[in-house]
């Protein structure tokens, strides 16, 4: 039996997502910046901590408004959180907002015609940006969780960045590792994301090379017998 294609989203939902993609991406950067100030500056550093907290909550409210709007426009009702589970997780854990690039990668994979080469390039660029943002967010989270833990090997933000780089690239030197429960939860999530991002980049790059070689073969004149 042939698999039924996924239903197309309503036109109003598509227009909303197209219009809000860039503003929400910028809001995600502001959220990350506010969280970074909260983690990296001393608690007595005023008014920066209060401003950062206000920035974090105001950007999260934007994410909530976007989520509720898309829920209403989708026509799915309360099935929306189950169908769009990635968006639900991202709303609850805004540090994972770069994971929305999964939707872009799925759009490339589901195209039935021959995708344009620049579409593959966009996925690879998006995956690279996602890796940087996720690594930075995970570094902040782990540093915050491990800073006061006994026997912690991650004592500075530099240690946390080094750990995130080793984890995202699946190298895993082991010289800096989380020791707290929630720190290890963050580590497990970053490992999974690292594998997914590497798969997205590798798959897109391979498909891009196939498209290039196919077009070169089409341009080559046929050999004479």
């Amino acid at each position: 039996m042939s698999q039924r294609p996924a239903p197309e989203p309503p036109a109003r939902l598509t227009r909303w997502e197209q219009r809000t993609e860039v503003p929400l991406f910028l809001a995600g950067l502001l959220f990350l910046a506010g969280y970074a100030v909260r983690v990296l500056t001393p608690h007595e550093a005023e008014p920066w901590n209060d401003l950062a907290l206000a920035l974090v909550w105001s950007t999260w409210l934007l994410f909530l408004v976007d989520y509720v709007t898309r829920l209403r426009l989708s026509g799915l009702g309360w099935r929306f959180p189950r169908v769009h589970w990635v968006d639900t997780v991202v709303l609850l854990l805004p540090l994972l907002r770069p994971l929305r690039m999964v939707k872009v990668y799925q759009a490339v994979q589901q195209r039935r015609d021959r995708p344009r080469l620049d579409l593959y390039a966009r996925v690879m660029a998006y995956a690279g940006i996602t890796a940087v943002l996720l690594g930075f967010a995970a570094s902040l989270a782990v540093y915050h969780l491990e800073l006061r833990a006994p026997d912690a090997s991650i004592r500075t933000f530099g240690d946390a960045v080094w750990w995130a780089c080793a984890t995202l690239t699946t190298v895993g030197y082991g010289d800096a590792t989380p020791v707290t429960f929630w720190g290890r939860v963050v580590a497990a999530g970053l490992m999974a994301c690292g594998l997914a991002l590497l798969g997205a980049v590798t798959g897109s790059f391979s498909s891009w090379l196939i498209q290039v070689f196919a077009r070169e073969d089409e341009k080559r004149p046929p050999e004479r017998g």
Side-chain angles (χ1 to χ4, degrees):
M1 295 178 63
S2 60
Q3 186 177 2
R4 295 177 60 184
E8 293 292 332
R12 290 191 302 168
L13 176 60
T14 302
R15 288 196 298 269
W16 172 266
E17 291 180 340
Q18 291 174 347
R19 292 173 181 174
T20 59
E21 180 180 1
V22 174
L24 288 176
F25 175 75
L26 296 177
L29 294 181
L30 290 176
F31 179 93
L32 191 58
Y35 181 70
V37 172
R38 291 285 297 176
V39 171
L40 299 178
T41 58
H43 291 292
E44 62 273 9
E46 300 296 346
W48 302 112
N49 273 309
D50 291 338
L51 292 175
L53 183 61
L55 183 62
V56 166
W57 279 108
S58 59
T59 49
W60 186 83
L61 287 176
L62 287 179
F63 302 151
L64 179 61
V65 170
D66 170 67
Y67 185 86
V68 173
T69 302
R70 288 190 294 115
L71 185 150
R72 295 183 60 184
L73 295 178
S74 67
L76 296 174
W78 294 110
R79 291 182 299 151
F80 184 87
R82 179 173 56 84
V83 176
H84 299 273
W85 63 271
V86 172
D87 296 328
T88 306
V89 171
V90 167
L91 176 67
L92 299 176
L93 299 172
L95 287 177
L96 297 178
R97 191 160 190 85
L99 286 180
R100 283 178 57 85
M101 68 79 55
V102 173
K103 298 179 65 175
V104 180
Y105 182 63
Q106 288 176 343
V108 174
Q109 294 296 96
Q110 292 174 358
R111 287 180 64 98
R112 300 186 181 281
D113 55 347
R114 293 176 57 179
R116 300 187 304 274
L117 297 183
D118 59 346
L119 196 56
Y120 288 123
R122 181 184 178 187
V123 172
M124 288 186 284
Y126 210 148
I129 295 173
T130 300
V132 172
L133 294 178
L134 275 179
F136 183 61
S139 301
L140 290 171
V142 166
Y143 174 65
H144 179 67
L145 294 167
E146 299 285 315
L147 181 60
R148 295 175 179 84
D151 302 325
S153 59
I154 299 176
R155 290 295 185 181
T156 66
F157 183 64
D159 293 337
V161 172
W162 171 252
W163 162 82
C165 292
T167 303
L168 268 174
T169 55
T170 67
V171 174
Y173 285 109
D175 55 343
T177 57
V179 297
T180 63
F181 171 78
W182 290 111
R184 290 176 176 176
V185 169
V186 174
L190 191 62
M191 291 175 194
C193 292
L195 290 174
L197 290 171
L198 285 176
V201 173
T202 304
S204 298
F205 184 69
S206 300
S207 300
W208 177 77
L209 285 179
I210 293 173
Q211 289 289 326
V212 171
F213 294 151
R215 293 191 179 187
E216 290 296 326
D217 289 341
E218 291 177 356
K219 294 178 182 178
R220 186 179 305 169
E223 296 181 358
R224 295 180 179 179

